[in-house]
Amino acid sequence: MTSQQAGRVLIVGAGIAGMAATIALRRTGVAVDLIDIEPDWTVVGAGLTITGPTLRALRQLGVYDAVAAQGYVGEGIRVCGVDGTYIRDIPTPMPPEAGVCGSGGIGRPALYRILSSQVVASGVRPRFGMSVVEIAQDKDGVDVSFSDGTAGRYAMVIGADGIYSRTRHQVFPAAPQPEYTGQSVWRMFVPRPPEVDRRHYFLGGEVKVGWTPVSATQMYMFVVERTPRKFREPHELPGGLADLLKPYGGHVRTFRESIREDTEIAYRPLESFRLPGPWHRGRVILIGDAAHPTTPQLASGAGIAVEDALVLAEELAHHGAVPATFEAFSARHEQRCRFVVESSIEIGRLEQEQAPPEAQTAVVERALARLVEPV
């Protein structure tokens, strides 16, 4: 049985993982229904850092050229001290056959526009403001009832509904819940100076500061802070971020001085958990943050979500049968995803301990070198 004969697939969640799965499956001829609980293609967040392996996955998905045109692609990560002085560069080489740069960034709204246009072009019309009320499955299919009173039967259900996944709760009711890691991240858009041609880290202080170019004229700056405070009120954000940036020099000082009361700042507590495998039960499988939520230290969460989609579509095209597809997916990609999660958590631990910059960057280099390996 080929993937074209596998039957209709339901994808729950129209974020990066869900859109990527829709694009990849439609490319092999699979019929897809895509739903999301949000009322539209809403996206929250300033920008997205993209590693070379993620760019490779986006190229395999068919959107690399659009990402390169609307975002930023380049090479390397520059490591600086708190005062802005240069320490070293972390290389980010990709093999020539990958056909991509080693580093990049893009605004989340821009990436959503790129992916959503491909979803629509594939013939799928997402249904928004909908959720799954009940899942009942047998050996031949999955019966799903929806919040709008409709129902459907599917050969496969893909839960791509994020870290707070309702699909995970429905299929794995005893699964662990997301837990606060002790760190939170602040983000804001800043102008991209003409001389900035790559990602930057500023290490050695009480917080980790960095930026990623996301277009020819913009970057997003991030600050990772160790704090027991999981939430902050919006009015606290401008002053709070300005205080954290006081010790930092170079362009960071300029960006700090630009903060006003109405400056748009995103603040998010970092949460994670480890879900025991396998990430599938019967004919339902979890991908993306629903299965392996990761903190942003390695900038690979979106990348492994897109890889999830590609691997799942490839294995379905090869095996046809859902059980064999899921087993092959797990064998091929589960450990890679766990490696990203564990490496990100390790970097976060070193940040919280204020470990020397070389200790932090060593984990980044080792992890990126391994992720360059083919999926």
Side-chain angles (χ1 to χ4, degrees):
M1 182 170 61
T2 66
S3 61
Q4 291 91 335
Q5 300 169 320
R8 184 169 291 273
V9 172
L10 172 66
I11 300 176
V12 183
I16 293 173
M19 287 191 285
T22 300
I23 296 165
L25 288 169
R26 288 296 299 134
R27 198 161 55 190
T28 64
V30 174
V32 173
D33 285 350
L34 175 63
I35 70 166
D36 197 284
I37 197 170
E38 297 295 335
D40 53 32
W41 252 314
T42 302
V43 56
V44 178
L48 189 72
T49 301
I50 309 174
T51 65
T54 300
L55 290 171
R56 177 178 57 195
L58 291 170
R59 182 173 184 266
Q60 292 168 343
L61 196 65
V63 299
Y64 175 76
D65 289 343
V67 169
Q70 298 182 40
Y72 148 81
V73 295
E75 301 293 341
I77 304 169
R78 179 148 296 172
V79 182
C80 300
V82 173
D83 59 358
T85 56
Y86 170 84
I87 296 177
R88 61 173 295 228
D89 285 341
I90 300 175
T92 57
M94 289 294 291
E97 62 270 21
V100 299
C101 290
S103 182
I106 193 168
R108 282 182 179 270
L111 182 60
Y112 265 57
R113 286 193 297 270
I114 292 168
L115 294 177
S116 62
S117 68
Q118 291 296 310
V119 168
V120 173
S122 77
V124 174
R125 296 295 182 270
R127 291 182 287 169
F128 291 102
M130 284 186 59
S131 61
V132 171
V133 175
E134 188 175 2
I135 295 174
Q137 56 177 316
D138 54 45
K139 65 181 182 66
D140 298 316
V142 188
D143 293 307
V144 179
S145 58
F146 298 102
S147 57
D148 67 349
T150 61
R153 184 167 174 83
Y154 298 91
M156 178 197 306
V157 174
I158 301 173
D161 45 347
I163 189 171
Y164 302 111
S165 170
R166 295 180 63 176
T167 308
R168 184 180 65 243
H169 178 71
Q170 289 165 327
V171 180
F172 299 97
Q177 297 299 307
E179 294 184 358
Y180 180 49
T181 66
Q183 288 180 295
S184 293
V185 62
W186 310 63
R187 295 184 175 99
M188 65 177 283
F189 280 117
V190 297
R192 179 181 173 184
E195 66 273 19
V196 173
D197 63 351
R198 65 193 62 202
R199 294 165 54 192
H200 278 60
Y201 292 153
F202 297 84
L203 304 179
E206 292 189 4
V207 297
K208 176 183 180 180
V209 179
W211 64 54
T212 295
V214 295
S215 74
T217 59
Q218 275 194 317
M219 308 188 298
Y220 84 89
M221 183 173 64
F222 61 86
V223 176
V224 182
E225 176 195 20
R226 177 183 180 181
T227 173
R229 296 191 63 183
K230 187 175 178 180
F231 299 106
R232 292 180 186 268
E233 297 296 331
H235 72 269
E236 298 180 272
L237 299 183
L241 182 55
D243 286 344
L244 292 175
L245 295 176
K246 280 182 180 177
Y248 290 80
H251 285 305
V252 177
R253 178 181 296 113
T254 303
F255 298 145
R256 175 186 176 273
E257 291 171 352
S258 73
I259 297 174
R260 302 290 182 264
E261 289 185 3
D262 60 349
T263 298
E264 188 173 339
I265 298 169
Y267 179 86
R268 183 170 72 90
L270 300 183
E271 296 179 294
S272 188
F273 66 89
R274 296 173 176 85
L275 180 65
W279 298 327
H280 58 86
R281 180 164 293 171
R283 290 175 170 265
V284 182
I285 190 168
L286 304 176
I287 66 172
D289 282 351
H292 45 75
T294 181
T295 56
Q297 273 82 358
L298 201 53
S300 297
I304 55 175
V306 175
E307 288 179 0
D308 279 345
L310 294 167
V311 171
L312 188 60
E314 289 171 7
E315 295 300 338
L316 182 61
H318 178 70
H319 294 283
V322 172
T325 296
F326 287 178
E327 290 299 326
F329 171 89
S330 296
R332 182 176 165 190
H333 204 233
E334 189 172 305
Q335 287 305 312
R336 181 178 174 92
C337 295
R338 292 193 188 282
F339 172 75
V340 168
V341 174
E342 296 296 336
S343 298
S344 299
I345 290 174
E346 173 65 7
I347 297 167
R349 182 186 67 79
L350 292 170
E351 290 170 353
Q352 294 191 59
E353 293 177 355
Q354 296 183 28
E358 56 270 22
Q360 299 182 39
T361 57
V363 180
V364 175
E365 286 190 273
R366 287 197 302 268
L368 291 179
R370 178 167 167 183
L371 292 176
V372 167
E373 299 171 4
V375 180

